[in-house]
Amino acid sequence: MNIAHIRAVVRRETAELLRSRAIFMTMTIVPSVLVAVSLLTEHAILQTPDAAFRFDTTMPELLERFAADGLDPKTAVLVLINEQFLTMLLIVATALPSTIASHTVINEKVERTLEPLLATPIATSDLLFGKTVVSIVPGVILTWIAYGATLYGFHEMSPPIVFASATRAVWPLAFTMLTPLVAMTSALTSIVVSSRVNDPRTAQGLAGFLVIPLLGMGISALLGAVTINAIWVFYSAAALLLANIGLLALASRLFSRETILTRWR
């Protein structure tokens, strides 16, 4: 890869993105709503009498491991709900970058601003990697901000043992390692699809089908089928890294510069 070419693409794409304020407004909705819902749910549970929670009636299968740790039913529910909301924040990182990634190719096709760039000697992989970087940065930052806001709310409302569970080392590790990789997978998938279609909504829809395995991994953790720990994070990060390398190679192969230059004249 040519670092100078990638930097030039990043500067160009960033300038274009900063002109699209509507995209930023749209991107903030999902994480903002998720943070609000998580904190409101936390507040509602805290206001509910302790007697309303029992291990044998309140999600018994999911709460078995918490009973073994000596937690009372209400505390166990708080820990479980918080972990599920944090898992959902990780899943959100798949949705945010696809909006930018699908627009960055398709809108340039329609507006014919992609042609001068494709006529330069820049390598396709450098071009797509630069576009991917710009696509994922806003989503990653928003996810991290939402994570910080959620932790702050938990700190202000939750009992110490509940907050300690939400801040144990695996969560910062997961958000640091997985969020950029998840976002990159989503962005590269959208770019692969966008190179073959001419409508952003179609691209996002098709990309959504292609990241179903990724969503399935997050939903499995959400439902308690797998436990999020350091081993799970490292294996997931390795799988995502390999997937992203493959997706970048596939995107570079499918991104036909000559076809785009002639089809959109």
Side-chain angles (χ1 to χ4, degrees):
M1 288 188 175
N2 188 309
I3 302 300
H5 288 174
I6 293 174
R7 287 177 179 173
V9 174
V10 168
R11 286 195 297 268
R12 177 183 180 276
E13 296 299 322
T14 301
E16 291 292 331
L17 183 60
L18 291 176
R19 299 191 187 101
S20 306
R21 296 182 180 180
I23 293 179
F24 286 105
M25 295 294 292
T26 303
M27 290 176 64
T28 59
I29 294 175
V30 175
S32 298
V33 170
L34 186 56
V35 170
V37 171
S38 66
L39 298 182
L40 289 173
T41 302
E42 181 95 355
H43 177 74
I45 293 174
L46 289 169
Q47 297 303 310
T48 303
D50 294 355
F53 299 93
R54 294 173 52 190
F55 281 126
D56 59 344
T57 58
T58 308
M59 297 179 287
E61 294 181 0
L62 292 179
L63 294 177
E64 286 180 357
R65 59 190 176 100
F66 297 111
D69 293 335
L71 299 181
D72 62 87
K74 183 174 181 177
T75 301
V77 169
L78 284 170
V79 171
L80 177 63
I81 294 298
N82 288 353
E83 290 200 357
Q84 290 180 328
F85 275 117
L86 292 177
T87 303
M88 279 191 278
L89 272 181
L90 286 175
I91 298 175
V92 162
T94 65
L96 301 180
S98 63
T99 303
I100 299 177
S102 59
H103 279 78
T104 190
V105 175
I106 294 176
N107 282 6
E108 288 195 274
K109 284 183 183 179
V110 175
E111 296 172 5
R112 296 185 178 180
T113 58
L114 193 58
E115 294 178 12
L117 188 60
L118 295 179
T120 66
I122 185 172
T124 301
S125 58
D126 293 344
L127 170 64
L128 298 184
F129 186 76
K131 285 180 174 291
T132 300
V133 169
V134 175
S135 298
I136 70 174
V137 168
V140 170
I141 292 175
L142 282 173
T143 301
W144 284 345
I145 291 174
Y147 174 54
T150 302
L151 289 185
Y152 177 77
F154 289 166
H155 177 267
E156 294 298 309
M157 294 189 299
S158 303
I161 191 172
V162 176
F163 179 70
S165 176
T167 55
R168 69 186 193 277
V170 67
W171 285 114
L173 180 67
F175 277 93
T176 301
M177 294 183 64
L178 295 184
T179 301
L181 292 170
V182 165
M184 183 172 288
T185 302
S186 177
L188 284 171
T189 303
S190 293
I191 288 175
V192 168
V193 176
S194 298
S195 65
R196 296 294 180 177
V197 300
N198 58 5
D199 178 67
R201 288 170 295 184
T202 302
Q204 291 177 37
L206 292 174
F209 283 106
L210 295 177
V211 298
I212 283 177
L214 187 61
L215 293 175
M217 181 178 67
I219 293 172
S220 296
L222 184 66
L223 296 177
V226 297
T227 301
I228 294 182
N229 51 35
I231 295 176
W232 183 88
V233 171
F234 282 118
Y235 275 118
S236 298
L240 288 170
L241 181 60
L242 292 175
N244 288 334
I245 293 173
L247 281 171
L248 181 59
L250 177 63
S252 300
R253 186 178 183 85
L254 295 179
F255 194 85
S256 176
R257 299 164 73 117
E258 294 78 9
T259 301
I260 293 173
L261 284 169
T262 56
R263 183 180 298 173
W264 292 91
R265 288 189 181 280

